[in-house]
Amino acid sequence: MRFAPDQHLHIGSLIFDRLDQIDLTGPYEVLSAIPNATVHIGAKKMEVVKDFHGLPLYPTTTLRDMPKLDILHVPGGPGQQNLMEDEEVLGFIRRQAAEAAFVFSVCTGALLAGAAGLLKGRRATTHWASMEVLPLLGAIPVNERVVIDGNWVFAAGVTSGIDGALRLAAMARGDDVAKQIQLYMQYQPEPPFDSGTPEQAPPHILARQRDAVAALTAARIETAKRVGEKLGLVSSVVAD
Amino acid sequence: MRFAPDQHLHIGSLIFDRLDQIDLTGPYEVLSAIPNATVHIGAKKMEVVKDFHGLPLYPTTTLRDMPKLDILHVPGGPGQQNLMEDEEVLGFIRRQAAEAAFVFSVCTGALLAGAAGLLKGRRATTHWASMEVLPLLGAIPVNERVVIDGNWVFAAGVTSGIDGALRLAAMARGDDVAKQIQLYMQYQPEPPFDSGTPEQAPPHILARQRDAVAALTAARIETAKRVGEKLGLVSSVVAD
């Protein structure tokens, strides 16, 4: 257990236009239940932020006004692609990550962390469809749902954030706190199909989904190559 | 598969003060990915709605302006307790449920549906801590994570909404659509502990969580008794 029970924790989640909302809200369900903690939702401006399917969210603070965080949470989604050279957002991530006890990356939030120069030599994971982007930003891709590297917790794609957040809650306040949150959330999943990973999905489903994200994946690769070279991040490790 | 592929679907989710946000957002991740559909987020007024831990959401429409829905989605959370005699919200639920192809209840959203008089004689489920409330509203409690009764889909507590939404997506547009959504969401859960149900949780964790919700549960029982009697809903079936 990392924090003393009487230490009030500041947890901060970044939100941005066209994020994937459950990268924020899956973890939020867990993080907001951690005792003696405040969760801040930070955006560039105090205005509605829409997820990539249109869900309207609203921040509790701006990035500039975010307090010094004990836990920094970086979600992903298609909108990450527009922030790979955004100095305000990347500067926020760098600044908070430098002092946070934990950094929690969900899905393609890892690519933002990479663009901030923070993943060089780091074991990491991200959405299955973007694993090949990680080495371009200097990271060592690990094909697991939750990857822990020092004080960084990475969750793979989308719903992986819930499992990552429970691991993080346990690291922050102990196993019993995480178990009680899991019970409150009735988190005993029963996926109706076996199609949650590229390894499990029927081949025709995998092919369709790869096609659906082909253009975005190609754009992510191109951007990461450019950013990776500019920052001197390129690693030679291939995604497993 | 219930709907023709070329039929545009209107899906509508109710939000209200002090809802449990993941009852909305877990399903939203699935429902918003259903092809040829629009998801509307409806509240009483066009203003920020905060979940019970403070997450700010914003509606896309008011309840009055919500179009006729093909799928009605009713989340739950502590705020449900304040709406058990709210004619605007209960009238909205009744009106839309009467014409929707499917009604999807998540967690204690079932108690709102019960207060709207819609669960008499219906098999249903809700959050594990509120199962005993169902018979007070005329429903037959079934201790399963997802319960289907005619055109009603009930998910148990909180994160159960994701599994329920995938079942609903399959019913609406076929198994392949649900499988592709599951793959996009990388929904192959790996809960770090075995504490997601009252049956699995360590006894001391279960005791702590029961204590934590004791006052809310007692209030729910009292309100449901009053509403159930007023509407002539009482059933004699005991929760299993």
Side-chain angles (χ1 to χ4, degrees):
Chain A
M1 197 179 317
R2 172 69 176 76
F3 300 107
D6 61 355
Q7 179 187 349
H8 186 77
L9 303 181
H10 287 287
I11 302 170
S13 303
L14 168 70
I15 62 172
F16 50 88
D17 184 55
R18 303 190 69 241
L19 86 164
D20 190 338
Q21 62 88 23
I22 211 176
D23 291 10
L24 168 77
T25 58
Y28 181 87
E29 191 71 11
V30 176
L31 301 176
S32 65
I34 291 175
N36 198 13
T38 302
V39 183
H40 309 270
I41 309 293
K44 286 186 164 201
K45 295 184 194 172
M46 293 304 291
E47 54 188 33
V48 166
V49 172
K50 286 191 177 174
D51 121 290
F52 82 118
H53 279 155
L55 182 76
L57 299 163
Y58 200 85
T60 64
T61 184
T62 58
L63 301 187
R64 175 165 44 171
D65 292 343
M66 185 81 84
K68 173 168 125 49
L69 298 173
D70 301 292
I71 298 174
L72 169 66
H73 167 213
V74 185
Q80 148 273 324
Q81 181 54 14
N82 301 95
L83 300 174
M84 294 291 278
E85 291 168 295
D86 184 300
E87 252 320 299
E88 184 181 0
V89 169
L90 299 181
F92 163 79
I93 294 173
R94 254 181 243 122
R95 189 166 70 240
Q96 291 285 358
E99 305 204 54
F102 294 103
V103 185
F104 177 39
S105 160
V106 180
C107 195
T108 52
L111 307 189
L112 284 176
L118 300 174
L119 298 192
K120 191 165 186 180
R122 209 177 271 289
R123 292 171 65 253
T125 193
T126 186
H127 193 280
W128 62 261
S130 287
M131 289 293 279
E132 61 195 296
V133 184
L134 288 175
L136 303 172
L137 299 165
I140 301 160
V142 178
N143 187 17
E144 291 171 12
R145 193 166 176 83
V146 180
V147 172
I148 296 172
D149 182 283
N151 70 327
W152 282 69
V153 178
F154 295 87
V158 193
T159 62
S160 310
I162 297 172
D163 298 318
L166 283 166
R167 296 277 298 272
L168 178 57
M171 291 162 74
R173 289 249 187 256
D175 288 6
D176 272 13
V177 162
K179 288 176 184 177
Q180 191 173 347
I181 293 172
Q182 183 186 4
L183 176 60
Y184 167 74
M185 297 199 309
Q186 204 160 347
Y187 186 54
Q188 175 58 25
E190 293 179 14
F193 304 103
D194 294 315
S195 184
T197 64
E199 294 83 0
Q200 285 198 305
H204 72 288
I205 300 290
L206 177 58
R208 268 181 220 167
Q209 187 53 29
R210 283 198 192 283
D211 281 350
V213 296
L216 176 57
T217 304
R220 280 173 163 151
I221 289 169
E222 187 190 322
T223 302
K225 274 183 181 160
R226 187 177 70 249
V227 169
E229 280 165 21
K230 190 170 75 177
L231 300 178
L233 297 173
V234 179
S235 139
S236 58
V237 179
V238 178
D240 57 5
Chain B
M1 196 179 317
R2 172 71 177 72
F3 301 105
D6 62 355
Q7 179 187 353
H8 187 77
L9 304 180
H10 287 286
I11 302 170
S13 303
L14 167 70
I15 61 172
F16 51 87
D17 184 56
R18 304 188 70 244
L19 85 163
D20 190 337
Q21 62 87 23
I22 210 175
D23 290 10
L24 167 78
T25 58
Y28 181 87
E29 191 73 11
V30 176
L31 301 176
S32 66
I34 291 175
N36 198 11
T38 301
V39 183
H40 309 269
I41 309 293
K44 287 187 165 201
K45 296 183 192 170
M46 293 304 290
E47 53 189 34
V48 166
V49 172
K50 286 191 176 173
D51 120 290
F52 81 118
H53 280 154
L55 182 76
L57 299 162
Y58 200 85
T60 64
T61 183
T62 59
L63 301 186
R64 175 165 43 171
D65 291 343
M66 185 81 84
K68 175 171 123 50
L69 298 173
D70 301 292
I71 297 174
L72 169 66
H73 166 213
V74 185
Q80 148 274 322
Q81 181 55 14
N82 301 95
L83 299 174
M84 294 292 278
E85 292 169 294
D86 184 300
E87 252 320 298
E88 184 181 0
V89 169
L90 299 181
F92 164 79
I93 293 173
R94 252 181 245 122
R95 188 167 71 242
Q96 292 286 359
E99 305 204 55
F102 295 103
V103 185
F104 177 39
S105 160
V106 180
C107 195
T108 52
L111 306 188
L112 283 175
L118 300 174
L119 297 193
K120 192 165 186 179
R122 209 176 271 289
R123 292 171 65 254
T125 192
T126 186
H127 192 279
W128 61 262
S130 287
M131 289 293 279
E132 62 195 296
V133 184
L134 288 176
L136 303 172
L137 299 165
I140 300 160
V142 177
N143 187 16
E144 291 171 12
R145 191 167 178 83
V146 180
V147 172
I148 296 172
D149 182 281
N151 70 327
W152 281 69
V153 178
F154 295 88
V158 193
T159 62
S160 310
I162 298 171
D163 298 317
L166 283 167
R167 296 276 300 271
L168 178 58
M171 292 162 76
R173 289 249 187 257
D175 288 6
D176 273 12
V177 162
K179 288 177 186 177
Q180 191 173 348
I181 293 172
Q182 183 186 4
L183 176 59
Y184 167 74
M185 297 200 310
Q186 205 159 347
Y187 187 55
Q188 175 59 23
E190 292 178 15
F193 304 102
D194 294 315
S195 184
T197 64
E199 294 83 0
Q200 284 198 306
H204 72 286
I205 300 290
L206 177 57
R208 268 181 218 168
Q209 186 53 29
R210 283 199 193 283
D211 281 351
V213 297
L216 177 57
T217 304
R220 280 173 163 152
I221 289 169
E222 186 191 322
T223 301
K225 274 182 180 160
R226 187 177 70 248
V227 169
E229 281 166 21
K230 190 169 74 176
L231 300 178
L233 296 174
V234 179
S235 138
S236 58
V237 179
V238 179
D240 58 8

